[in-house]
Amino acid sequence: MTIASVNPATGETLATFTPHGDAEIEARLAAAAAAAAGWRRTPVAERTALVARAAELLDERREALARLATLEMGKTLAAARAEVEKCAWVCRHYAAEAAGMLATEEVATDARRSFVRFDPLGVVLAVMPWNFPYWQVFRFAAPALAAGNAALLKHASNVPQCALAIEAIWRDAGAPAGLFGALLVGGARVAPLLADPRIAAATLTGSEPAGASVARAAGESLKKVVLELGGSDPFLVLPSADLDRAVATAVTARVLNNGQSCIAAKRFLVHRDVYEPFTARFVAAMGALRMGDPLAPETDLGPLATPAIRAELQAQVERSVAAGAHLLLGGSVPAGPGCFYPPTVLAEVPLDAPAAREELFGPVAPLFRVDSLDEAIALANATDFGLGAAAFTTDPAEQERLAAELDAGSVFCNGLVKSDPRLPFGGIKRSGFGRELAAFGLREFVNAKTVWIG
Ligand code: NAP
């Protein structure tokens, strides 16, 4: 098992790390457990002050953090800066709101006084992916620490430097020793950690196999787990849509983060009345994207994060074409170094082709022509996933129906599906369970404790 930073734009190895062994893991776990015991007794105002200080450090370190993410996983520098800014936002949000979310709730019963307290659970193990190497961690950590928990981070093995940079932020913000620790370990270390009584709960953001494995291990030891898994979000374009806006948003929704986002639009369902103009404009806009060095300001699309991800995407495209899909743009691996994959558009995609059924983690857009709103909703829901859904329609009645009938954790009308600290985020079906962000996210890792005083 290696833990290495490899620049996906060049193939150059930037740094390698020796994975933590048994003694190091034990030391970090013991430190986290000790920190959790003290932190739960620390006043909420002190806990939120730490989260606010983390926001300041994120602002101060924005350029260095952004560059590091670009070098380690290939997102454009502009996207990396925006990610660091969003992390500061989520910290500020919980710094301001957590005390209210954690306030005791009085309930009138037969007791002299009865109320609900929100107590922390203890040490939460966070298993995180590389695609938003800061955001995924901070959106969990800001509410979890504000609520009085400690955290152990097992980050993806290709972003160890980001993991250590996050650990440094919490340490430098003044967190008690051990309150937030990074473990440089592979996935095989997760199940034994979950069996340890000092770990109270877990959260995983990542693929379905990783989610199933962590859910199994958490189930064995009867521990709470939140899972944020993959998606195959539909993007519906209906006859009343503002096509300029729909096309521009469709391109962003597919290629944001070099196409490697759980809530990227991954299936484009276009009504026959607007199919031809939408397709022509979408293909032109995808074809105009500039692929190249993610550090260069003019670049729209950087490399995929690893050679394995590119190989899998290319195989999905090839199998879809073999099944009958038409290639309208892209579709072949460019020569030269780096894990680049071009903007690709597929049309006439058979419903059993990989591009219709599997998650496409890269800048590949399958188009589907639909004849009616009913067909659009049925096809949108014909997936094992249920993370987000976007629909472009200016008809309020259609918006109401879509909000009610699309099977997803979120529905965005006339806009990009995105996470926002003020709104809950998560999925249904094979996209996972539990919620992050807003009060829902903070309350995943608390004990809603009933107190009855006669
Ligand atoms: P991944 O391979 O599942 O890895 C995610 C994390 O899980 C990594 O830390 C990985 O460690 C660990 N892991 C892998 N197998 C494991 C196992 N059997 N037991 C315990 N831990 C294990 O996913 P990825 O390729 O990094 O991320 C892409 C996936 O994440 C996509 O499916 C995407 O849609 C999903 N995602 C979901 C959300 C959401 O909010 N729903 C957000 C972002 C991404 P190693 O790196 O050491 O293998």
Side-chain angles (χ1 to χ4, degrees), residues 85-434:
E85 285 164 9
K86 197 164 170 182
C87 293
W89 180 22
V90 78
C91 287
R92 291 205 167 90
H93 177 73
Y94 282 106
E97 303 294 333
M101 294 169 181
L102 292 165
T104 294
E105 287 182 7
E106 300 288 332
V107 183
T109 67
D110 58 332
R112 203 156 42 81
R113 184 185 171 210
S114 49
F115 56 96
V116 183
R117 297 174 45 92
F118 297 100
D119 291 338
L121 295 184
V123 181
V124 184
L125 176 65
V127 184
M128 290 290 156
W130 47 266
N131 63 339
F132 292 92
Y134 302 124
W135 169 245
Q136 308 290 1
V137 178
F138 278 94
R139 80 175 178 183
F140 148 74
L145 298 187
N149 298 291
L152 276 176
L153 168 66
K154 180 264 172 284
H155 217 325
S157 296
N158 58 327
V159 288
Q161 297 192 83
C162 289
L164 295 174
I166 296 167
E167 185 184 58
I169 286 173
W170 289 110
R171 187 180 57 234
D172 298 347
L179 187 72
F180 184 99
L183 295 172
L184 297 182
V185 295
R189 289 287 193 169
V190 169
L193 274 167
L194 272 169
D196 191 293
R198 289 167 293 181
I199 299 282
T203 182
L204 175 135
T205 300
S207 61
E208 289 171 85
S213 161
V214 166
R216 254 192 313 275
E220 276 296 319
S221 16
L222 298 175
K223 287 184 182 159
K224 169 78 184 271
V225 63
V226 168
L227 297 179
E228 298 283 2
L229 309 178
S232 181
D233 286 9
F235 186 105
L236 281 59
V237 186
L238 294 160
S240 68
D242 172 341
L243 268 200
D244 285 341
R245 207 162 142 197
V247 170
T249 310
V251 173
T252 306
R254 183 54 283 199
V255 305
L256 193 85
N257 212 39
N258 306 337
Q260 304 160 119
S261 167
C262 52
I263 46 169
K266 298 188 181 119
R267 293 175 297 136
F268 295 82
L269 282 47
V270 187
H271 193 279
R272 63 173 179 213
D273 291 357
V274 288
Y275 185 85
E276 305 302 338
F278 176 87
T279 301
R281 287 153 77 171
F282 181 64
V283 170
M286 288 285 279
L289 293 170
R290 288 157 302 192
M291 185 168 75
D293 178 2
L295 288 169
E298 66 277 10
T299 297
D300 299 310
L301 192 64
L304 300 177
T306 66
I309 289 164
R310 182 172 71 168
E312 186 181 345
L313 187 67
Q314 174 65 8
Q316 288 171 310
V317 170
E318 283 172 2
R319 285 191 286 127
S320 298
V321 171
H326 295 179
L327 202 50
L328 301 186
L329 183 75
S332 51
V333 168
C339 301
F340 292 94
Y341 196 84
T344 295
V345 182
L346 296 167
E348 313 298 334
V349 181
L351 295 182
D352 58 353
R357 305 200 55 81
E358 299 172 9
E359 179 176 39
L360 298 171
F361 224 52
V364 177
L367 301 182
F368 303 84
R369 189 198 306 257
V370 293
D371 290 338
S372 64
L373 180 63
D374 285 344
E375 189 189 347
I377 292 172
L379 188 53
N381 290 340
T383 169
D384 293 338
F385 297 105
L387 199 51
F392 278 71
T393 167
T394 52
D395 177 339
E398 284 187 349
Q399 293 167 1
E400 286 290 324
R401 249 196 91 186
L402 291 158
E405 294 184 26
L406 288 175
D407 293 336
S410 59
V411 174
F412 281 61
C413 286
N414 302 321
L416 183 76
V417 177
K418 56 183 189 294
S419 55
D420 178 320
R422 298 163 294 188
L423 292 167
F425 181 92
I428 58 170
K429 295 158 77 178
R430 294 186 72 82
S431 291
F433 45 76

